[in-house]
Amino acid sequence: MRHLSRLLVTIAAVAAGLTLHAQSLPLSETSVNDVQARFSAALEIPLGTKFALQWSEEARLKNNLGSVDKILSGLGVEYEPLKYLKAGVEYVFVNDNDLEDGWGIKHRLNVNVTGTWEVGRFELSLRERVRFQFRSDSTNRYEKPDPFITLRSRLKAAYDIRRSHWKPYVFAELYTTLNAPGPVSDYKTDAFYRDNYINRVRLGLGAKYKINRHNSLDFYYKVHFNRDYRARYKGGGGAMKEWSLRKELCHVFGIDYKFKL
């Protein structure tokens, strides 16, 4: 009985501490709905039988197609050691029109592995991608990690229509943060820690159209469910001045063009 009493007291003390901690970190929430568009063009150059080099340019629109979101330039190498296995690495130069910070430059490094299985006319694939995003400006690590590391897990199913140039597909993708900073009351006195979470769920469908052996188009629609936790602190004192959760529901329409040598 005495041990039970001590356990209850301990649980109560921990709960009280958590309550006080939560009360010192008020969370404000905002929700945004947006319609976006993406357009890209890519050049793929085979390097032997197992390697390929790809250069791409992409433009993204946001705010109901009213403003430019990002301009991206990418250069990557893909390696296919087996018929059903691919690995790749890509560098992306990003001109980013951030909502709070305005235009800025970021650098991305994508490292991914994709496995593919064929079941009848269906082609199933699982891609795991780790994205490192580096900033060009100085940041407070309690507010923004640099680099910001995200794991992207995508499951995709495509259907091969016989004697057709079209190949429809559907997919689902999860974004999980790997080094998101946790909120603290005062970054000058509190210890730094990580508080990772799923920050995006992406669902989509589309269809690839093979014009000929060199040219192809990809038409798609995606819906994004985004969650972005952000903490802001007073520069002089270090005390938290804002802890917010921004939720976004984005409808994204896109067209990709690829030329393969």
Side-chain angles (χ1 to χ4, degrees):
M1 191 67 178
R2 180 181 301 176
H3 294 292
L4 179 59
S5 299
R6 288 180 180 176
L7 178 60
L8 293 176
V9 170
T10 302
I11 294 174
V14 172
L18 291 175
T19 301
L20 291 175
H21 182 68
Q23 289 176 350
S24 66
L25 301 173
L27 179 65
S28 61
E29 296 188 17
T30 57
S31 298
V32 177
N33 294 334
D34 197 13
V35 177
Q36 303 178 355
R38 300 182 179 184
F39 307 96
S40 75
L43 170 64
E44 183 176 320
I45 305 174
L47 303 175
T49 58
K50 295 184 180 296
F51 288 90
L53 178 69
Q54 180 167 296
W55 167 60
S56 64
E57 296 290 335
E58 182 176 0
R60 299 181 181 181
L61 304 178
K62 64 179 180 179
N63 296 329
N64 296 319
L65 311 182
S67 62
V68 178
D69 181 18
K70 293 179 178 66
I71 303 294
L72 305 97
S73 301
L75 182 64
V77 177
E78 190 173 75
Y79 172 56
E80 188 176 5
L82 301 171
K83 182 179 179 181
Y84 302 113
L85 181 65
K86 292 182 180 180
V89 60
E90 178 188 32
Y91 165 75
V92 183
F93 182 83
V94 183
N95 280 294
D96 185 15
N97 186 11
D98 187 83
L99 179 65
E100 296 183 356
D101 302 328
W103 282 98
I105 294 174
K106 297 178 182 178
H107 307 273
R108 289 180 180 175
L109 180 65
N110 296 320
V111 181
N112 51 268
V113 177
T114 305
T116 305
W117 300 267
E118 292 185 358
V119 183
R121 296 188 187 181
F122 288 94
E123 181 182 272
L124 306 178
S125 64
L126 175 63
R127 187 190 69 185
E128 296 290 350
R129 168 178 288 178
V130 179
R131 186 181 74 181
F132 302 84
Q133 180 162 278
F134 301 85
R135 302 179 64 90
S136 59
D137 56 345
S138 59
T139 61
N140 182 339
R141 70 168 184 159
Y142 284 80
E143 293 183 342
K144 298 177 181 178
D146 188 23
F148 184 29
I149 308 174
T150 308
L151 173 64
R152 297 172 50 177
S153 303
R154 188 193 70 185
L155 182 62
K156 182 178 179 181
Y159 184 73
D160 184 16
I161 304 176
R162 292 180 180 176
R163 295 184 296 277
S164 174
H165 293 274
W166 291 96
K167 191 173 187 178
Y169 61 85
V170 295
F171 69 89
E173 188 171 10
L174 291 180
Y175 286 53
T176 305
T177 65
L178 297 182
N179 67 335
V184 297
S185 298
D186 192 313
Y187 75 83
K188 291 189 175 181
T189 59
D190 296 343
F192 179 82
Y193 74 100
R194 304 292 185 186
D195 189 20
N196 296 308
Y197 58 95
I198 295 175
N199 66 334
R200 173 174 295 180
V201 177
R202 170 186 283 175
L203 305 175
L205 55 86
K208 289 186 177 182
Y209 181 76
K210 187 175 182 180
I211 302 173
N212 51 44
R213 63 188 298 265
H214 295 291
N215 299 273
S216 63
L217 291 169
D218 187 0
F219 304 89
Y220 59 84
Y221 162 74
K222 307 174 184 178
V223 56
H224 295 173
F225 303 92
N226 299 341
R227 299 164 66 238
D228 183 18
Y229 286 95
R230 294 191 179 185
R232 296 290 183 267
Y233 303 90
K234 298 178 181 179
M240 173 177 282
K241 64 180 181 180
E242 180 187 358
W243 182 31
S244 62
L245 169 60
R246 178 181 172 85
K247 298 179 180 179
E248 289 184 317
L249 173 60
C250 302
H251 301 275
V252 183
F253 300 88
I255 303 175
D256 296 344
Y257 167 74
K258 177 184 283 190
F259 178 80
K260 183 177 180 180
L261 289 178

